[in-house]
DNA sequence: GTCTATAGATTGATAGAC
DNA sequence: GTCTATCAATCTATAGAC
């Protein structure tokens, strides 16, 4: 592997450290030291620490959202052609599978998944707003698609259940890195593929639970 | 209402600010200013910022865990007397209801609920470990009880589903304070009582989903 | 573009008067 | 117990040489 340039090395280090330690607890000194670049390079290449955060989100979220959007629309289109409702479980799969599959898309991707898993519950507005702004469009698409799949479910109940779904998904994503929940006396965590299937089955059952 | 003493005022301010801004983003200056006590008082009364965090957790978690434990054991005892398995939904209710009902137990309790909702996904080890240490015992009790309710479910699948459950619960708790998820074009969030019932129904359906 | 050096502000913690 | 004053360390950001 050839050397990557300074700007990318900064991005990689930021992704790793923001995921592991959080945005505020990561200092530019630690970050530039890991990236093996000069302290001043962050401000030269990105302008500020906050702009760097935005760049970290964008690098991964733009293509990921594109994939999720395509998959959701494929399910909707197929349903329209048959004249049937789209199946909720297929929509959930279209959203969840690429999100978690993303972990294996290359080095660093796993860190990123943990980072966005945390971002929804991030106390700091800087981070949370930066994240929400980038995921709100795809979230709206998912919500609209699920309304078509479950039209008899009241809207506000669907929204609440979708929030539970995102909570469960976030939690799984958070622990893409930290496996410290392996506690003596507890069984081994599920293998990756199985975990994804279990999550889809879980939220699907919850989403279609009787009112 | 009579004046509360310095030590308690510090605790109240810490609960509020740690929940709203996070542990690391809260400075002792902001904290003591809100509490209207001297800057040096934190170190005098608690020894360090980290010890203060531990005290914030303990004040609420000791009684809450006691209630959850009693309710879980009541379900188990009742089941033993009838010779039947405990019902999963009753165990979930015994755990979730007091957790969320806690929000109305007094001023500040709502902040605390948001704080513990975040703590599971907290990047910082200081906060996360401090929290996990205090909830692991009750988590083990819940897991053991659910094993009795669903003995045919493989242990590692039960654990995964329990994680999804905690993820959904955490997410709801996180937003006990921040209602900023009311976005134009989305329906009104559910009223409190309804939300709790929906959550219990959701995770119950997920937990008992077919394998 | 990369470096050193440092400004300027803020942090957690403490010493010592009262 | 509460106060002021301050230490020593850290932080983000920037100025300016090369």
């Amino acid at each position: 592997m050839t050397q990557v340039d300074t700007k990318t090395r900064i991005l990689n280090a930021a992704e790793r450290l923001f995921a592991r330690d959080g945005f505020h607890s990561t200092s530019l000194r630690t970050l530039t030291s890991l990236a093996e670049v000069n302290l001043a390079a962050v401000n030269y290449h990105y302008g500020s620490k906050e702009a760097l955060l935005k760049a970290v989100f964008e690098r991964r979220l733009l293509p990921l959202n594109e994939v999720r959007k395509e998959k959701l629309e494929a399910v909707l289109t197929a349903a329209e052609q048959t004249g049937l409702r789209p199946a909720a479980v297929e929509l959930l799969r279209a959203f969840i599978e690429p999100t978690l599959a993303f972990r294996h898309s290359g080095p660093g991707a796993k860190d990123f998944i943990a980072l966005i898993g945390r971002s929804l519950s991030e106390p700091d507005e800087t981070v949370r707003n930066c994240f929400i702004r980038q995921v709100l469009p795809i979230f709206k698409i998912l919500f609209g698609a699920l309304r078509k799949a479950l039209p008899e479910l009241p809207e506000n109940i669907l929204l609440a259940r979708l929030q539970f779904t995102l909570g469960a998904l976030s939690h799984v994503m958070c622990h893409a890195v930290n496996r410290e929940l392996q506690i003596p006396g507890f069984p081994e965590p599920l293998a990756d593929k199985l975990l994804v299937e279990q999550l889809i089955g879980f939220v699907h059952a919850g989403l279609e639970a009787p009112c």
Side-chain angles (χ1 to χ4, degrees), chain A:
Chain A
M1 173 138 70
T2 55
Q3 274 278 71
V4 293
D5 64 2
T6 298
K7 204 169 171 180
T8 306
R9 286 219 303 284
I10 292 174
L11 213 53
N12 291 339
E15 183 167 75
R16 172 112 76 103
L17 292 176
F18 290 166
R20 200 191 62 186
D21 303 332
F23 178 69
H24 266 109
S25 300
T26 300
S27 75
L28 292 184
R29 276 170 183 76
T30 309
L31 200 159
T32 51
S33 158
L34 175 66
E36 293 181 302
V37 303
N38 188 269
L39 171 61
V42 169
N43 279 279
Y44 176 77
H45 285 285
Y46 293 95
S48 72
K49 190 187 179 187
E50 197 171 325
L52 171 60
L53 176 70
K54 191 168 172 246
V56 167
F57 278 129
E58 276 178 355
R59 173 171 64 162
R60 308 285 191 190
L61 240 33
L62 289 179
L64 175 59
N65 281 342
E66 197 52 42
V67 172
R68 294 195 283 201
K69 192 180 164 199
E70 279 168 16
K71 296 220 173 203
L72 284 172
E73 283 171 353
V75 174
L76 288 180
T77 307
E80 269 172 30
Q81 285 173 348
T82 62
L84 298 171
R85 291 178 187 171
V89 68
E90 282 184 45
L91 293 170
L92 291 170
R93 184 179 297 278
F95 187 83
I96 292 174
E97 257 185 6
T99 306
L100 291 174
F102 201 69
R103 283 183 288 183
H104 311 113
S105 68
K110 210 163 178 172
D111 293 323
F112 181 73
I113 288 291
L115 173 63
I116 63 174
R118 270 193 249 283
S119 298
L120 254 189
S121 61
E122 176 70 40
D124 184 65
E125 286 198 356
T126 309
V127 182
R128 203 180 54 241
N129 289 344
C130 182
F131 173 70
I132 288 181
R133 211 172 298 126
Q134 296 206 39
V135 296
L136 196 56
I138 191 74
F139 184 70
K140 283 185 174 172
I141 292 173
L142 176 61
F143 181 70
L146 285 171
R147 281 196 54 199
K148 290 184 186 168
L150 305 165
E152 69 286 348
L153 202 64
E155 262 194 332
N156 52 358
I157 288 186
L158 175 61
L159 181 61
R161 290 180 178 185
L162 188 49
Q163 300 276 12
F164 305 152
T165 299
L166 291 184
L169 177 61
S170 294
H171 194 251
V172 171
M173 292 198 292
C174 267
H175 298 87
V177 176
N178 317 358
R179 287 308 197 103
E180 86 275 17
L181 283 182
Q182 293 178 36
I183 301 144
F186 281 100
E188 281 280 307
L190 288 181
D192 210 84
K193 187 80 185 160
L194 254 174
L195 186 70
V196 177
E197 289 309 311
Q198 280 296 317
L199 176 60
I200 292 173
F202 182 92
V203 298
H204 177 231
L207 210 62
E208 297 210 342
C211 254

